Amino acid sequence: MALSLTVTAQLNSRREIKIPDIPGYLTLKCDLHMHTVFSDGLVWPTVRVDEAWREGLDVIAISDHIEYHPFQEDIQINFGRSYEIAKPRAEMYGLIIIQAAEITRQMPPGHFNCLFLDDVAAIDQPDFWDAIGEAQRQGAFIMWNHPGWRQEDEVPIWYDEHTRLYDQGLMHGMEVVNGRSYYSLALEWCVEKKITMIGTSDIHSPIGMDYDLSLNDQRPVTLVFATDRTEEAVKEALFDGRTAVYSDDMLIGSEEFLNPLFYHSIELVNGDQDFSSGGTFYIQVINRSEIPFHLISNGKPEGVEYPEEITLHAERTVMMPVKLSRNATNNTHGVILLYEVKNLLINKDTGLAVELVIQ
Amino acid sequence: MALSLTVTAQLNSRREIKIPDIPGYLTLKCDLHMHTVFSDGLVWPTVRVDEAWREGLDVIAISDHIEYHPFQEDIQINFGRSYEIAKPRAEMYGLIIIQAAEITRQMPPGHFNCLFLDDVAAIDQPDFWDAIGEAQRQGAFIMWNHPGWRQEDEVPIWYDEHTRLYDQGLMHGMEVVNGRSYYSLALEWCVEKKITMIGTSDIHSPIGMDYDLSLNDQRPVTLVFATDRTEEAVKEALFDGRTAVYSDDMLIGSEEFLNPLFYHSIELVNGDQDFSSGGTFYIQVINRSEIPFHLISNGKPEGVEYPEEITLHAERTVMMPVKLSRNATNNTHGVILLYEVKNLLINKDTGLAVELVIQ
Amino acid sequence: MALSLTVTAQLNSRREIKIPDIPGYLTLKCDLHMHTVFSDGLVWPTVRVDEAWREGLDVIAISDHIEYHPFQEDIQINFGRSYEIAKPRAEMYGLIIIQAAEITRQMPPGHFNCLFLDDVAAIDQPDFWDAIGEAQRQGAFIMWNHPGWRQEDEVPIWYDEHTRLYDQGLMHGMEVVNGRSYYSLALEWCVEKKITMIGTSDIHSPIGMDYDLSLNDQRPVTLVFATDRTEEAVKEALFDGRTAVYSDDMLIGSEEFLNPLFYHSIELVNGDQDFSSGGTFYIQVINRSEIPFHLISNGKPEGVEYPEEITLHAERTVMMPVKLSRNATNNTHGVILLYEVKNLLINKDTGLAVELVIQ
Amino acid sequence: MALSLTVTAQLNSRREIKIPDIPGYLTLKCDLHMHTVFSDGLVWPTVRVDEAWREGLDVIAISDHIEYHPFQEDIQINFGRSYEIAKPRAEMYGLIIIQAAEITRQMPPGHFNCLFLDDVAAIDQPDFWDAIGEAQRQGAFIMWNHPGWRQEDEVPIWYDEHTRLYDQGLMHGMEVVNGRSYYSLALEWCVEKKITMIGTSDIHSPIGMDYDLSLNDQRPVTLVFATDRTEEAVKEALFDGRTAVYSDDMLIGSEEFLNPLFYHSIELVNGDQDFSSGGTFYIQVINRSEIPFHLISNGKPEGVEYPEEITLHAERTVMMPVKLSRNATNNTHGVILLYEVKNLLINKDTGLAVELVIQ
């Protein structure tokens, strides 16, 4: 960025991703898988930083392939070079950039991102296990990328190689979402095996060619719940499994994190209404986040009628009609409306259960 | 609104107007001039409430004409009826609705809204001064509407009638903005004569036929700085001159109110940069409001170079390059960047002067 | 519309609905069901004309209820009055407006629009059959509105009353789409019983409160294939069953009409490619209509590989890869790609079968 | 583009630029100045082709700098290489790609694009005049890029070097628009000296980082009026001065081309109105192009009143009120409304004069 005397283009500005922090943690927005012309991406490394800043990201990892360099006739192979070029620009913006690389093998075992590397070149080993061993020596966070890649109907298969990695404590993370693909079976595995859930763009093109940013179409990100805005805190959170995946209007993660994200996003406004003698009331529900919450009724409290389905639109307030019989409000804790949030997934087919309490 | 079991349409939700409260006051968003089929508007009164709620308003006044009823062949004249019909719906939403009417005479004296009426019918007097007198008896807030209406090039003329009103303390407010019209001379008068500045839609059509709400095109509103979210507090604020006008990307008002609105909207992020030895730095400026601030340089501090012009885009962060010579930072109070905010008008041609302080 | 000296607001302009004419017929865009304050609608009748002109409609019918007048305390019942008020404005725009009314009874038999009336007041009869009889005497086109209304899950039930109407030749049309509701069973009935398919908005609010017009969200319309842009030609086409329903991205109608609509919307650009020796080719498919066509493969020609699914985006060109084996092109008629257009419904679960021919 | 079995992303489709052909010529949309990582651009060459196809371009020229290679530490200098990489992809899309290069010197003389080169490497000469001479030998079209670049207030200065080039017949074209910059003085020079007017993006970033394509923000293009869709026809048209520049909502060119562009874009619909006895009439004016035409009155025909200003919105129909006195229509050729189209520039401050004829 030159020291221009006129700085006006709106495009060159940062839009925050409106998802709240939760108690004890900052909610950092991270994309941990992307490419540049130093492997098979189509942009110069600094572009990845500019894109990330504009889109409200806090953390990125450029993970150029170790074994795949289609442009090597023109661009010499230079491991770690994309990180080196991008880093000063990330610093200018105050973005955290993580040194990374993608080990790129036929399935099985497939592709694996290694994050927090010191020496990318050392990962370039003919044998897959040697490469992984080197990543381990460097203390890398190792994640299985797009597990459904090139499998029938994109359904991932868990091969012996994955068992070996997992048993040796070397499958720290797994992509539940990669670009436009969502792997529900990967989500199940992450829940069962306590593998850190990851969502990434794996972007190769300029981001605007794959996502229509003006229309709120955005890349998948990993929400990392970190104690601090530092690389060290991100690393600790990843190893500790403190993540959720935000993709399209879907939020995927454990109840431990989705629960506070939901309750810190919404607010109920009851006005001065007196519910004690029953009747029809209108409750305003504010959703301050950019995620629309799609609620479906999850049980039938006696004496209370309320919408079977309701969407709490992003950054909007909706009016919810509630009909109470006289005795519905005997409960001293107020009336509780039971819902499941369909697009907040805590497992394959299970949305987060929530309670809206009217007092 | 029926007790529908499925409530999903995004259109039927409320979008807040993102302008902050200021110390000591709530910033209420008010439209104090609008019409229904009970005069020459084209919608049923409840529509005005629904529109207002969706657009993030807090307060409305339906001000049907006293003397003009083009639909009287079909709809009988019934003063106060539009208020009566709209009120229960406003209560459902928690909106404040003010009983009002528009005295509608040829220029001079022109049209005058009377707000906070008890008895609209009593305003219906053949003589203008009798009508105004009755409004005064009811304790009304009286404002001169669209002062440039039917004047050449819409430039308002101050007639003897206006002097008489003003001298008798009966011109409490004046429309500086009415719909798409902005009267700069009215702004001057308001500043000079301490008349409360008002901006209104004067909407006759369904609002969506005149404003493209999806594209952030919105009606003008009066920001009322009230101690409380009550009709009484709104009335007190209006009589006390505690308003600003928000229209398009323009905010019009006194320094007393625009100043805190600006500083409560923005935040500077310096990072951990050490400015002591000079150099080029990048400061991120966050604008949390929905108003883009258009800044132009307003003075030349020695040893500091920064953009001549910069727009702090709405709900965005922009990067501001600043070049400091070594001695520029001797100042113990940090470096001060001097700007005028062109679209925050404190008088006809005068934008608000602001200081961005880098420490 | 006053003779304003400056006419600039983009909102006050007409956007055409981009659906082509077909051989022998103009494709008129019609909304045959809407309300005003003269029954339970929320706008003055002229608003319906302005809305329709802006949205690219050619024909409207205001069909205020005969038996339902919630605003009669303020607006006296006056059958035909909304038509009378709206007509001069429609003429100014060159829109066709049809005099109409909605017979409004409990289900069964439910609600019925009568179009092309001469004397609306005469339809006001205590007995349903008398009302229908009068409509028949006036030569009205009679259609069953929202057949699933107030039925469980909105699934329509065919009652004896409907049999009687149908047998007497008095159920000329049926709403397959009403507002946001689509009745698949009604579609089946229309196909089986040769009833004219109708899609309407049944709009009560200002249209912009229910449809986000800026975002290409638009009211359902009936496409009427008429020999001329006259009321008479519209009437003839309706009685003759020459319609299709356009709602969201869905087009519903018989093969006779959907087929030419599809082929007059698209164009294939082969370039100068020589297919004779096989290989991979890229065909550009232009869709000039505003309807995106969602195609799924419908058969497997030997020696040809092409996308299983492809969307021909609205007013866009897409690139379709096609892989031909050598012998695939022996066919002298070129290569035929077989698709079903999922959103062009010729019956409940049946999309239009189409062929893309590459020569 | 792999042979994907599902092709659905709307982003990956082509939007036509809606500007009509004119009698005798195709209107080709061309961007003749852009960069890749082979000089100081930030994308791989194929990206320039994909972008161009999506945005509705017909012709591009990648014009990497001869003398500037900031990435040469990683990417070896290889003149003509970006063309070589991009060409097969352009062929797949049916786009015309022109081999080009930018001679890049300090001002004066500044930067010059050479189009239609056979041997880019040969242009790499220490001496500017040798480089230009070589371009001439190859039959290149030579254009002066961004003439206001690094001049005070971006106002271009015509130096001796430019006289020499011009006198030798080597300044065939000149950029009147480069990116967001418009050089009105360059327009004057082009008109006076019969230099071909050019508008280009000079894009370095991914195009979506500089233009918000979703919001109809698009790069400047040169409209080339060619007899055929071939490189040869484009070359002939450029040397013959058959161009116009389309940038933002502005069209710049000679009357010879802007005139037919205007009249082939609009259509007047008079309906069946009889103007003979005067009165107020409403004329619908259809604008089929994507350019909004901003008209201001240009003379006062006697006995006719019509809007002083009117915008014919892009792809819309507007209603124009016209008031005729009785004798206004004695003219057998109908009534003529005289306007100037402010955003169709035939010289610095001169809009195209047009006549709307009502018959």
Side-chain angles (χ1 to χ4, degrees):
Chain A
M1 186 181 290
L3 184 69
S4 164
L5 289 183
T6 306
V7 181
T8 52
Q10 163 143 20
L11 280 168
N12 189 14
S13 64
R14 175 180 170 92
R15 187 183 78 78
E16 293 299 328
I17 295 175
K18 289 182 181 158
I19 297 180
D21 291 330
I22 60 175
Y25 299 113
L26 299 173
T27 300
L28 301 182
K29 289 83 182 181
C30 314
D31 187 2
L32 305 171
H33 188 172
M34 58 183 66
H35 297 276
T36 75
V37 290
F38 284 90
S39 61
D40 58 345
L42 297 169
V43 302
W44 191 247
T46 55
V47 170
R48 293 297 175 222
V49 179
D50 288 5
E51 291 171 341
W53 180 72
R54 293 178 179 198
E55 291 168 56
L57 299 193
D58 301 299
V59 181
I60 62 169
I62 296 177
S63 54
D64 281 317
H65 299 285
I66 292 292
E67 298 89 346
Y68 184 52
H69 296 89
F71 306 151
Q72 62 184 291
E73 190 178 335
D74 298 290
I75 303 179
Q76 54 190 345
I77 297 175
N78 189 342
F79 296 114
R81 180 68 175 141
S82 49
Y83 173 79
E84 189 180 27
I85 291 169
K87 186 151 184 54
R89 197 155 183 91
E91 280 170 354
M92 184 189 86
Y93 283 120
L95 290 190
I96 296 168
I97 184 167
I98 293 168
Q99 184 151 227
E102 184 172 17
I103 298 175
T104 306
R105 306 292 167 119
Q106 291 305 310
M107 187 75 96
H111 297 192
F112 291 82
N113 263 12
C114 305
L115 308 178
F116 309 104
L117 295 176
D118 296 319
D119 177 1
V120 176
I123 304 295
D124 183 29
Q125 305 275 354
D127 180 70
F128 171 75
W129 298 104
D130 290 346
I132 285 287
E134 176 56 32
Q136 181 182 18
R137 261 184 300 280
Q138 295 186 28
F141 179 87
I142 301 170
M143 56 189 248
W144 185 11
N145 295 342
H146 42 70
W149 177 69
R150 298 211 174 156
Q151 306 301 307
E152 192 166 342
D153 293 329
E154 285 203 86
V155 177
I157 295 172
W158 184 279
Y159 292 94
D160 289 348
E161 286 84 348
H162 304 121
T163 300
R164 178 170 163 191
L165 279 166
Y166 181 73
D167 287 349
Q168 297 185 359
L170 296 175
M171 194 187 288
H172 307 117
M174 189 185 300
E175 285 184 350
V176 171
V177 171
N178 174 289
R180 301 285 183 186
S181 298
Y182 158 57
Y183 309 102
S184 60
L185 189 52
L187 168 55
E188 284 196 292
W189 291 340
C190 285
V191 172
E192 273 171 38
K193 298 172 195 288
K194 299 196 180 305
I195 296 169
T196 300
M197 297 177 199
I198 304 287
T200 72
S201 69
D202 195 3
I203 188 73
H204 287 69
S205 300
I207 191 87
M209 298 196 82
D210 285 6
Y211 296 91
D212 198 340
L213 305 171
S214 299
L215 298 179
N216 288 328
D217 180 32
Q218 59 191 313
R219 70 171 93 191
V221 294
T222 305
L223 304 180
V224 171
F225 305 103
T227 53
D228 210 349
R229 185 182 295 274
T230 61
E231 182 173 338
E232 203 45 51
V234 170
K235 187 172 181 176
E236 182 196 288
L238 284 171
F239 275 108
D240 199 27
R242 297 198 305 267
T243 65
V245 173
Y246 174 43
S247 172
D248 269 315
D249 288 345
M250 202 163 55
L251 207 52
I252 304 166
S254 72
E255 209 173 340
E256 179 186 357
F257 302 112
L258 299 199
N259 213 56
L261 282 177
F262 178 79
Y263 289 111
H264 281 74
S265 297
I266 71 154
E267 182 187 339
L268 268 69
V269 181
N270 298 343
D272 303 328
Q273 301 179 83
D274 173 14
F275 302 110
S276 61
S277 54
T280 296
F281 301 92
Y282 296 94
I283 309 299
Q284 300 198 34
V285 189
I286 304 172
N287 175 5
R288 299 197 201 281
S289 83
E290 68 173 50
I291 308 170
F293 298 117
H294 303 292
L295 275 56
I296 49 169
S297 170
N298 192 13
K300 295 270 175 197
E302 214 172 319
V304 187
E305 273 184 68
Y306 55 93
E308 273 296 320
E309 295 187 26
I310 189 166
T311 295
L312 309 179
H313 298 287
E315 296 185 70
R316 299 272 177 150
T317 301
V318 300
M319 193 66 116
M320 181 189 276
V322 178
K323 198 170 172 181
L324 301 178
S325 66
R326 227 167 225 282
N327 58 330
T329 50
N330 286 344
N331 190 324
T332 54
H333 297 88
V335 177
I336 298 177
L337 313 184
L338 301 172
Y339 279 111
E340 179 180 337
V341 192
K342 287 166 68 177
N343 60 323
L344 265 55
L345 288 181
I346 59 170
N347 206 333
K348 195 178 165 179
D349 301 307
T350 315
L352 183 75
V354 298
E355 298 182 349
L356 303 184
V357 182
I358 302 170
Q359 271 158 328
Chain B
M1 185 180 291
L3 185 68
S4 164
L5 290 185
T6 307
V7 180
T8 52
Q10 162 144 20
L11 280 169
N12 188 14
S13 64
R14 175 180 171 92
R15 186 182 79 78
E16 293 299 327
I17 296 175
K18 288 183 182 158
I19 297 180
D21 292 329
I22 61 175
Y25 300 114
L26 299 173
T27 300
L28 300 182
K29 288 84 182 182
C30 313
D31 187 2
L32 304 171
H33 188 171
M34 58 183 68
H35 297 277
T36 75
V37 289
F38 284 90
S39 62
D40 59 344
L42 297 169
V43 303
W44 191 247
T46 55
V47 170
R48 293 294 175 225
V49 180
D50 288 5
E51 291 172 341
W53 179 72
R54 293 178 179 198
E55 291 168 56
L57 300 191
D58 301 300
V59 181
I60 62 168
I62 295 176
S63 54
D64 280 317
H65 298 286
I66 292 292
E67 298 89 346
Y68 185 51
H69 297 89
F71 307 150
Q72 63 185 293
E73 189 178 334
D74 299 290
I75 303 178
Q76 55 188 344
I77 296 175
N78 189 341
F79 296 113
R81 180 67 176 141
S82 50
Y83 173 78
E84 189 180 28
I85 290 169
K87 186 151 181 56
R89 195 153 184 91
E91 281 171 353
M92 184 189 86
Y93 283 119
L95 290 190
I96 295 169
I97 183 166
I98 294 167
Q99 183 151 228
E102 185 172 16
I103 298 175
T104 307
R105 306 292 167 122
Q106 291 305 310
M107 186 75 94
H111 296 192
F112 291 82
N113 264 12
C114 306
L115 307 179
F116 309 105
L117 295 176
D118 296 319
D119 176 0
V120 176
I123 304 294
D124 183 27
Q125 306 275 355
D127 180 70
F128 172 75
W129 297 103
D130 290 346
I132 284 287
E134 176 56 31
Q136 180 182 21
R137 264 186 297 281
Q138 293 186 31
F141 178 88
I142 301 170
M143 57 189 247
W144 185 10
N145 296 342
H146 41 71
W149 177 70
R150 295 206 177 162
Q151 306 302 307
E152 191 165 343
D153 292 330
E154 285 202 89
V155 177
I157 294 172
W158 184 279
Y159 291 94
D160 289 348
E161 287 83 347
H162 304 121
T163 300
R164 178 170 164 191
L165 279 166
Y166 181 72
D167 286 349
Q168 295 185 0
L170 296 176
M171 194 187 288
H172 307 116
M174 188 185 300
E175 285 183 350
V176 170
V177 171
N178 175 288
R180 301 286 183 187
S181 298
Y182 157 57
Y183 309 104
S184 60
L185 189 52
L187 168 55
E188 284 195 293
W189 291 339
C190 285
V191 172
E192 271 171 41
K193 300 172 194 289
K194 298 197 182 304
I195 297 170
T196 301
M197 297 177 198
I198 303 288
T200 73
S201 70
D202 194 3
I203 187 76
H204 287 69
S205 301
I207 190 89
M209 297 195 82
D210 285 5
Y211 296 90
D212 197 338
L213 306 171
S214 299
L215 298 179
N216 288 326
D217 180 32
Q218 60 190 315
R219 69 171 92 192
V221 295
T222 305
L223 303 181
V224 172
F225 305 102
T227 53
D228 211 349
R229 185 181 295 274
T230 63
E231 182 172 339
E232 204 44 53
V234 171
K235 188 173 182 176
E236 182 196 287
L238 284 172
F239 275 108
D240 199 28
R242 296 198 306 268
T243 65
V245 173
Y246 174 43
S247 172
D248 269 315
D249 287 346
M250 202 162 57
L251 207 53
I252 304 166
S254 71
E255 208 172 342
E256 180 186 356
F257 302 113
L258 299 199
N259 214 55
L261 282 176
F262 178 79
Y263 290 112
H264 281 75
S265 296
I266 69 154
E267 182 187 337
L268 268 69
V269 181
N270 298 343
D272 302 329
Q273 300 176 84
D274 173 14
F275 302 110
S276 62
S277 53
T280 296
F281 300 93
Y282 296 94
I283 309 299
Q284 300 198 32
V285 190
I286 304 173
N287 176 3
R288 299 198 200 282
S289 83
E290 69 174 50
I291 308 170
F293 299 116
H294 302 292
L295 276 57
I296 49 169
S297 170
N298 193 13
K300 295 269 173 196
E302 213 171 319
V304 186
E305 274 184 66
Y306 55 93
E308 272 297 318
E309 297 187 23
I310 189 166
T311 295
L312 308 179
H313 298 287
E315 297 184 70
R316 300 272 177 151
T317 301
V318 300
M319 192 66 115
M320 180 189 276
V322 178
K323 197 169 171 182
L324 302 178
S325 66
R326 226 167 225 284
N327 59 329
T329 51
N330 286 344
N331 190 323
T332 55
H333 297 89
V335 177
I336 299 178
L337 312 184
L338 301 172
Y339 279 110
E340 179 178 336
V341 192
K342 288 168 69 177
N343 60 323
L344 265 56
L345 288 180
I346 60 171
N347 205 332
K348 196 179 166 180
D349 300 309
T350 315
L352 182 74
V354 298
E355 298 182 349
L356 303 184
V357 181
I358 302 170
Q359 276 157 327
Chain C
M1 185 180 292
L3 184 69
S4 164
L5 290 185
T6 308
V7 180
T8 53
Q10 163 145 21
L11 280 168
N12 188 14
S13 65
R14 175 179 171 92
R15 187 183 79 78
E16 294 299 327
I17 296 175
K18 289 183 181 157
I19 297 180
D21 292 329
I22 60 174
Y25 299 114
L26 299 173
T27 299
L28 300 182
K29 289 84 182 182
C30 313
D31 187 2
L32 304 171
H33 188 172
M34 58 183 68
H35 296 277
T36 76
V37 289
F38 284 90
S39 63
D40 60 345
L42 297 168
V43 302
W44 191 248
T46 54
V47 171
R48 293 296 175 223
V49 179
D50 288 5
E51 292 171 340
W53 179 72
R54 292 177 179 199
E55 291 169 57
L57 299 193
D58 301 300
V59 181
I60 63 168
I62 296 177
S63 53
D64 280 317
H65 298 285
I66 292 293
E67 298 89 347
Y68 185 51
H69 296 89
F71 306 152
Q72 62 185 291
E73 190 178 335
D74 298 291
I75 303 179
Q76 54 189 345
I77 296 174
N78 188 342
F79 295 114
R81 180 66 175 141
S82 50
Y83 173 79
E84 190 180 28
I85 291 169
K87 186 152 182 54
R89 196 153 183 91
E91 282 171 352
M92 184 189 85
Y93 283 119
L95 289 190
I96 295 169
I97 184 167
I98 294 168
Q99 183 151 229
E102 184 172 18
I103 298 175
T104 307
R105 307 293 167 119
Q106 292 305 310
M107 187 75 95
H111 296 191
F112 291 82
N113 264 12
C114 305
L115 308 178
F116 309 104
L117 295 176
D118 296 319
D119 177 1
V120 175
I123 304 294
D124 184 27
Q125 305 276 354
D127 180 70
F128 172 75
W129 297 104
D130 291 345
I132 285 287
E134 176 56 32
Q136 181 182 19
R137 263 185 297 282
Q138 294 187 28
F141 178 87
I142 302 169
M143 56 190 247
W144 185 12
N145 296 343
H146 42 70
W149 178 68
R150 296 206 176 161
Q151 306 302 308
E152 190 166 343
D153 292 330
E154 284 203 88
V155 177
I157 296 172
W158 184 279
Y159 291 94
D160 289 347
E161 287 82 349
H162 304 121
T163 299
R164 179 169 161 190
L165 278 166
Y166 180 73
D167 287 348
Q168 295 185 359
L170 295 176
M171 193 186 289
H172 307 115
M174 189 185 299
E175 284 184 350
V176 170
V177 171
N178 175 289
R180 300 286 183 186
S181 297
Y182 157 56
Y183 309 103
S184 61
L185 190 51
L187 168 54
E188 284 196 292
W189 290 340
C190 286
V191 172
E192 270 172 40
K193 298 173 194 289
K194 298 194 181 308
I195 296 170
T196 301
M197 297 176 198
I198 304 287
T200 73
S201 69
D202 195 2
I203 187 76
H204 287 69
S205 300
I207 191 88
M209 298 195 82
D210 285 7
Y211 296 90
D212 197 339
L213 304 172
S214 298
L215 298 180
N216 287 327
D217 180 32
Q218 59 191 313
R219 70 171 91 191
V221 294
T222 306
L223 304 180
V224 171
F225 305 102
T227 52
D228 211 349
R229 186 180 295 273
T230 63
E231 183 172 338
E232 204 45 51
V234 171
K235 188 172 182 176
E236 182 196 286
L238 284 171
F239 274 108
D240 199 29
R242 296 198 306 266
T243 65
V245 173
Y246 174 44
S247 173
D248 270 314
D249 287 346
M250 202 164 55
L251 206 53
I252 304 166
S254 71
E255 208 174 342
E256 179 186 356
F257 302 113
L258 299 199
N259 213 56
L261 282 177
F262 177 78
Y263 289 112
H264 281 74
S265 297
I266 70 155
E267 181 186 338
L268 268 69
V269 180
N270 298 343
D272 302 327
Q273 299 177 85
D274 173 13
F275 302 111
S276 61
S277 54
T280 296
F281 301 92
Y282 295 94
I283 310 298
Q284 300 199 33
V285 189
I286 304 172
N287 175 5
R288 299 197 201 281
S289 82
E290 69 174 50
I291 308 169
F293 298 116
H294 302 293
L295 275 56
I296 48 167
S297 170
N298 193 13
K300 295 271 175 195
E302 213 171 319
V304 187
E305 274 185 66
Y306 54 93
E308 272 297 318
E309 297 187 24
I310 189 166
T311 295
L312 308 180
H313 299 287
E315 298 186 68
R316 298 272 177 151
T317 302
V318 299
M319 193 65 115
M320 179 187 279
V322 178
K323 197 169 171 183
L324 302 179
S325 66
R326 224 168 227 283
N327 58 329
T329 51
N330 286 344
N331 190 324
T332 55
H333 297 89
V335 178
I336 299 176
L337 313 184
L338 301 172
Y339 278 111
E340 180 179 336
V341 191
K342 287 168 69 176
N343 60 322
L344 265 54
L345 287 181
I346 59 171
N347 206 333
K348 196 179 166 179
D349 301 309
T350 315
L352 182 74
V354 298
E355 298 182 349
L356 303 183
V357 181
I358 302 170
Q359 274 158 326
Chain D
M1 184 180 291
L3 185 69
S4 164
L5 290 185
T6 306
V7 181
T8 52
Q10 162 145 20
L11 280 169
N12 189 14
S13 64
R14 176 180 171 92
R15 187 183 79 77
E16 294 298 328
I17 295 175
K18 289 183 182 160
I19 297 180
D21 291 330
I22 60 174
Y25 299 114
L26 299 173
T27 300
L28 300 182
K29 289 83 182 183
C30 314
D31 187 1
L32 304 171
H33 189 172
M34 59 183 66
H35 297 277
T36 75
V37 289
F38 284 90
S39 60
D40 59 344
L42 297 169
V43 302
W44 191 247
T46 55
V47 170
R48 293 296 174 222
V49 179
D50 288 6
E51 292 172 341
W53 180 72
R54 293 177 178 200
E55 291 170 56
L57 299 192
D58 302 299
V59 181
I60 63 169
I62 296 177
S63 53
D64 280 317
H65 298 287
I66 292 292
E67 299 89 347
Y68 185 50
H69 296 88
F71 306 151
Q72 62 186 291
E73 190 178 335
D74 298 291
I75 304 179
Q76 54 188 346
I77 296 175
N78 189 342
F79 296 114
R81 180 67 176 141
S82 50
Y83 173 79
E84 188 181 28
I85 291 169
K87 186 150 183 54
R89 197 154 182 91
E91 282 170 353
M92 185 189 86
Y93 283 119
L95 290 189
I96 296 168
I97 183 167
I98 293 168
Q99 184 149 230
E102 184 172 17
I103 297 175
T104 307
R105 306 292 167 118
Q106 291 306 310
M107 188 76 95
H111 296 192
F112 291 82
N113 263 11
C114 306
L115 308 178
F116 309 105
L117 295 176
D118 296 318
D119 177 1
V120 176
I123 305 294
D124 184 28
Q125 306 275 354
D127 180 71
F128 172 75
W129 297 103
D130 291 346
I132 285 288
E134 175 58 30
Q136 180 181 18
R137 262 185 297 282
Q138 294 187 28
F141 178 88
I142 301 170
M143 56 189 249
W144 186 10
N145 296 342
H146 42 71
W149 177 70
R150 297 208 176 159
Q151 306 302 308
E152 192 166 342
D153 293 329
E154 283 204 86
V155 177
I157 296 172
W158 184 278
Y159 291 95
D160 290 347
E161 288 82 349
H162 303 122
T163 299
R164 178 170 163 190
L165 278 166
Y166 180 74
D167 287 348
Q168 298 186 359
L170 296 177
M171 195 187 287
H172 308 115
M174 190 185 299
E175 284 185 350
V176 170
V177 171
N178 175 289
R180 302 285 184 187
S181 298
Y182 157 58
Y183 309 103
S184 60
L185 189 52
L187 168 55
E188 284 196 292
W189 291 339
C190 285
V191 172
E192 271 171 40
K193 300 173 194 289
K194 299 196 180 307
I195 296 169
T196 301
M197 296 176 198
I198 304 288
T200 72
S201 69
D202 196 1
I203 188 74
H204 287 69
S205 300
I207 190 89
M209 297 196 82
D210 284 7
Y211 296 90
D212 198 339
L213 305 172
S214 299
L215 298 179
N216 287 328
D217 179 32
Q218 59 191 314
R219 71 170 91 189
V221 294
T222 305
L223 304 180
V224 172
F225 305 103
T227 52
D228 210 349
R229 185 180 295 274
T230 62
E231 183 174 337
E232 204 44 53
V234 171
K235 189 171 181 177
E236 183 197 286
L238 284 172
F239 274 108
D240 199 29
R242 297 198 306 267
T243 65
V245 172
Y246 174 44
S247 172
D248 269 314
D249 287 346
M250 201 163 56
L251 206 53
I252 304 166
S254 70
E255 209 173 339
E256 178 185 358
F257 301 113
L258 298 199
N259 213 56
L261 282 177
F262 178 78
Y263 289 111
H264 281 74
S265 296
I266 70 154
E267 181 186 340
L268 268 69
V269 181
N270 299 342
D272 302 328
Q273 300 178 84
D274 173 14
F275 302 110
S276 61
S277 54
T280 297
F281 300 92
Y282 295 94
I283 309 298
Q284 300 198 33
V285 189
I286 305 172
N287 176 4
R288 299 196 201 284
S289 83
E290 69 173 50
I291 308 170
F293 298 116
H294 303 293
L295 275 56
I296 49 168
S297 170
N298 193 13
K300 294 270 175 197
E302 214 172 317
V304 187
E305 273 184 68
Y306 55 92
E308 272 298 317
E309 295 188 26
I310 189 167
T311 295
L312 308 180
H313 298 287
E315 297 186 67
R316 299 273 178 151
T317 301
V318 301
M319 193 65 115
M320 180 189 276
V322 179
K323 198 170 172 180
L324 302 179
S325 66
R326 226 167 225 282
N327 59 330
T329 50
N330 286 343
N331 189 324
T332 53
H333 297 88
V335 177
I336 298 177
L337 313 183
L338 301 172
Y339 278 111
E340 180 179 335
V341 191
K342 288 166 68 177
N343 59 324
L344 264 54
L345 288 181
I346 60 171
N347 206 332
K348 197 177 164 180
D349 301 308
T350 315
L352 183 74
V354 299
E355 300 181 349
L356 302 184
V357 182
I358 302 170
Q359 273 158 327

